[in-house]
């Protein structure tokens, strides 16, 4: 008897009845291989073969994205990714807010008053495996919650004469995260 493959993996011993087949990276990337068992008959019987297709199902992977600072509620989660998942589910691991559309990749988190008071919430993204795999994939994201909006503040130089320039100095700040945009309004439409 002899075992053969349509792929490029290896048999532990291709001349034993119950070998172990180790698929190659190319086999897994292709998604399946055909394994063939060929047996030789005695002098009166002909050679016989049997083939089976072995399909490879990849384990699920999930990435909940980067930890973030949140100033507003509701907050749209972005930056998550997944692969090889039968389904997705976002849950609250530590906190008591609400997740809208928890089975979508980018759901919306609505903070509760206790979450705001605690200053953070931990969310978990779980990817369920496709059959026949059994182990789900999980990843976590921490949202630091602030009920403090950024503070817009600036100073300026007071010119001595009407034809001198006024120098503006930004002193805006925030307790959490960063200021994403500044808009100066000079009162003249510019």
């Amino acid at each position: 008897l002899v075992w053969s493959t349509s792929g490029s993996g290896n048999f532990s011993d291709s001349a034993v009845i119950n070998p172990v087949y180790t698929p190659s990276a190319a086999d897994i990337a292709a998604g399946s291989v055909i394994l063939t068992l060929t047996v030789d008959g005695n002098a009166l019987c002909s050679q016989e073969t049997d083939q089976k297709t072995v399909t490879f199902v990849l384990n699920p992977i999930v990435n909940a994205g980067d930890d973030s600072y949140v100033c507003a509620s509701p907050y749209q989660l972005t930056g998550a990714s997944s692969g090889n998942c039968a389904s997705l589910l976002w849950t609250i691991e530590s906190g008591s807010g609400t997740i809208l559309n928890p089975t979508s990749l980018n759901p919306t988190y609505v903070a509760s008053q206790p979450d705001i008071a605690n200053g953070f919430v931990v969310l978990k993204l779980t990817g369920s495996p496709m059959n026949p795999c059994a182990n789900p994939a999980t990843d976590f994201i921490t949202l630091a919650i602030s009920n403090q909006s950024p503070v817009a503040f600036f100073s300026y130089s007071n010119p001595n004469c009407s034809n001198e320039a006024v120098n503006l100095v930004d002193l805006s700040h925030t307790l959490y995260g960063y200021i994403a945009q500044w808009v100066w309004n000079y009162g003249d439409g510019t």
Side-chain angles (χ1 to χ4, degrees):
L1 71 97
V2 66
W3 286 93
S4 59
T5 177
S6 65
S8 56
N10 295 306
F11 290 96
S12 56
D13 185 340
S14 63
V16 298
I17 192 68
N18 295 315
V20 173
Y21 180 75
T22 304
S24 68
D27 291 349
I28 293 169
S32 66
V33 294
I34 298 172
L35 300 182
T36 303
L37 172 61
T38 303
V39 292
D40 291 324
N42 59 27
L44 300 175
C45 299
S46 63
Q47 187 180 63
E48 292 291 325
T49 62
D50 188 23
Q51 293 183 326
K52 302 290 182 203
T53 299
V54 177
T55 302
F56 304 106
V57 178
L58 299 175
N59 288 318
I61 54 171
V62 295
N63 180 336
D66 294 332
D67 294 344
S68 298
Y69 293 98
V70 179
C71 292
S73 180
Y75 176 75
Q76 177 78 43
L77 294 167
T78 59
S81 61
S82 68
N84 314 316
C85 297
S87 64
L88 297 171
L89 180 63
W90 283 92
T91 55
I92 297 175
E93 186 73 8
S94 171
S96 61
T98 303
I99 299 175
L100 306 176
N101 301 315
T103 58
S104 73
L105 188 58
N106 296 304
T108 299
Y109 165 73
V110 179
S112 66
Q113 286 304 317
D115 291 352
I116 294 169
N118 288 336
F120 74 96
V121 66
V122 178
L123 305 178
K124 178 170 79 170
L125 174 59
T126 302
S128 298
M130 293 186 282
N131 285 331
C133 298
N135 297 322
T138 59
D139 193 28
F140 300 87
I141 184 173
T142 300
L143 301 178
I145 304 169
S146 171
N147 60 359
Q148 300 282 326
S149 294
V151 175
F153 185 65
F154 70 96
S155 69
Y156 63 95
S157 64
N158 202 0
N160 292 326
C161 296
S162 63
N163 63 347
E164 290 182 359
V166 177
N167 293 315
L168 304 174
V169 178
D170 175 45
L171 299 172
S172 302
H173 63 278
T174 182
L175 294 176
Y176 299 100
Y178 60 94
I179 297 174
Q181 180 180 12
W182 290 260
V183 178
W184 290 92
N185 182 345
Y186 301 110
D188 62 359
T190 62

